[in-house]
Amino acid sequence: MAKIVVHITGSVAAFKAVTVVRLLQKQHHQVRVVMTKAATQLVGPATLASLTHYPVLTDLWKPAAAGQIPHIGLADWADYSIVVPASADVIAKLALGIADDPVTTTLLATPTPIVIVPAMNTHMYHQAATQRNLAQLRQDGKIILDPVHGQLAEGYTGDGRMPEPATIANFLNDLMASETTLANKTVLVSLGGTVAPIDPVRFIGNRSSGKMGWAIAKAALQMGAHVIVVAGRISINLPAENDRLTIKRVQTTQEMYEALAKEFPKSDILVMAAAVADFQVSSYTDQKIKKHSADQTLDLHLKPAVDILKTLGAQKSHQIVVGFAAETQAVLQNAQQKLAAKHADMIVANDVSGQQTGFNVDDNQVTLLRKDQAPETWPLTSKTAIGQRLMNVISKMME
Ligand code: PMT
């Protein structure tokens, strides 16, 4: 049984939130409700107050009992919060951290998981601004239950329809169940790119943003694991460390190897999503290499860097070891070879030759390769969704 705050905002699907509240109560959860002013035009707070036997927070300025700050009280009380339905307006405010009504103010003060269920007109949903705001919320660690395609209140069909209340309640229950799946487990995730320094100002690097690896780390955190992230060069912001998240920053392949090798023996899962430099410059120059003439050329000699996955894969005892394969041709054949050569339990193959998948984009398309199993190809989807699905597969492999 969990303590759940249901936030209702101004979308016509607000009436369905009443059924969501009922279903959560039937599943023995304690529910309290917060509503925006717009939501109160669509469904009556009195209905929700009688169902929950608790006042509904609709006004931040209503006199509260002495010493009480109702929105902070609710934020501290919640094990989980769900915004159902989430209007485009509230999504935009949450993405920016604006707190100017009971819903956004309570959510900004909420440290526990927040599920957002968008519901709106299809054109509003597909607006670049809405998609940008949802991407921001995903990156901030909020959990989005995507709307479905179907009949809209406007009388035509399209994306943006809120999933049915039973689907929403089940999603929340599955999320709660999954939150303990990896309790007491340590998940080690490498992400971003490592570099091969040439001189104090130059290096050879790659285009990894860290998005794929962070999606995996986030999913592992949501499943209750202690997560150790070893991050090379990245273009995303990582959150602050906490009691379940440790972050180590590195630059070179050797540094990444040393950081991972130190944590590997006490880890249960290693996922190598980092784009690791296979080579290092043979003779690093500790002064900037000068250019003396217009026709001057420069030859760099490269030597192999340590193969981290292969080295740690060969040392594994109880750990599940997962690598990625970034390929531009013969994707599956090359990835299959890496599965055996690197002693991995699974290789996640991704084609990095195009613009839509692979490096520095929000989506990816992957195929899982495991020993003695047929390849499993997943459709093009968000890296967040792949991270969640992948961690589910890995946790089942642990069983
Ligand atoms: O960070 P993003 O912008 O989101 O992009 C994601 C990604 C494309 C970087 C990611 O999905 C990915 O494919 N990561 C692996 C990149 C890579 O180095 O692939 P590879 O095929 O060269 O290496 C195979 C595996 O061995 C990888 O798990 C890699 O981390 C590991 N490796 C490679 C070389 C090396 N010297 N040591 C290693 O451990």
Side-chain angles (χ1 to χ4, degrees), residues 86-89 91-92 95 118-138 144 147:
S87 66
D89 175 58
I91 287 169
M120 65 196 73
N121 170 273
T122 193
H123 304 301
M124 287 169 99
Y125 178 65
H126 285 297
Q127 274 298 335
T130 305
Q131 290 303 316
R132 201 166 53 233
N133 292 331
L134 285 169
Q136 181 63 53
L137 289 171
R138 280 195 182 93
I144 314 289

Side-chain angles (χ1 to χ4, degrees), residues 238-249:
L238 293 178
E241 291 184 306
N242 58 45
D243 56 346
R244 283 204 293 114
L245 174 65
T246 306
I247 298 175
K248 293 171 183 267
R249 298 303 308 264

Side-chain angles (χ1 to χ4, degrees), residues 192 207-212 253 272-278 305-309 323-327 338 342 350 352 358-361 364 383:
R207 295 187 293 114
S208 174
S209 61
K211 289 181 182 185
M212 188 66 253
T253 300
M272 287 288 303
V276 182
D278 277 309
V306 55
D307 190 321
I308 306 171
L309 181 58
F324 271 73
E327 304 293 344
K338 286 179 182 166
K342 302 210 182 210
N350 49 183
V352 293
F359 288 101
N360 202 18
V361 286
N364 209 357
K383 285 182 177 171

Side-chain angles (χ1 to χ4, degrees), residues 190-194 206-214 216 233-236 253 256 260 270-279 304-312 322-327 334-335 338 342 346-352 357-364 366 383:
S190 74
L191 55 87
T194 64
N206 63 64
R207 295 187 293 114
S208 174
S209 61
K211 289 181 182 185
M212 188 66 253
W214 177 241
I216 293 162
R233 284 182 64 85
I234 50 176
S235 55
I236 55 169
T253 300
M256 183 169 272
L260 290 168
L270 166 66
V271 184
M272 287 288 303
V276 182
D278 277 309
F279 298 98
V306 55
D307 190 321
I308 306 171
L309 181 58
K310 189 173 179 178
T311 310
L312 296 181
V322 177
F324 271 73
E327 304 293 344
N334 288 332
K338 286 179 182 166
K342 302 210 182 210
M346 177 159 71
I347 287 284
V348 183
N350 49 183
D351 187 335
V352 293
T357 61
F359 288 101
N360 202 18
V361 286
D362 290 332
D363 296 333
N364 209 357
V366 300
K383 285 182 177 171

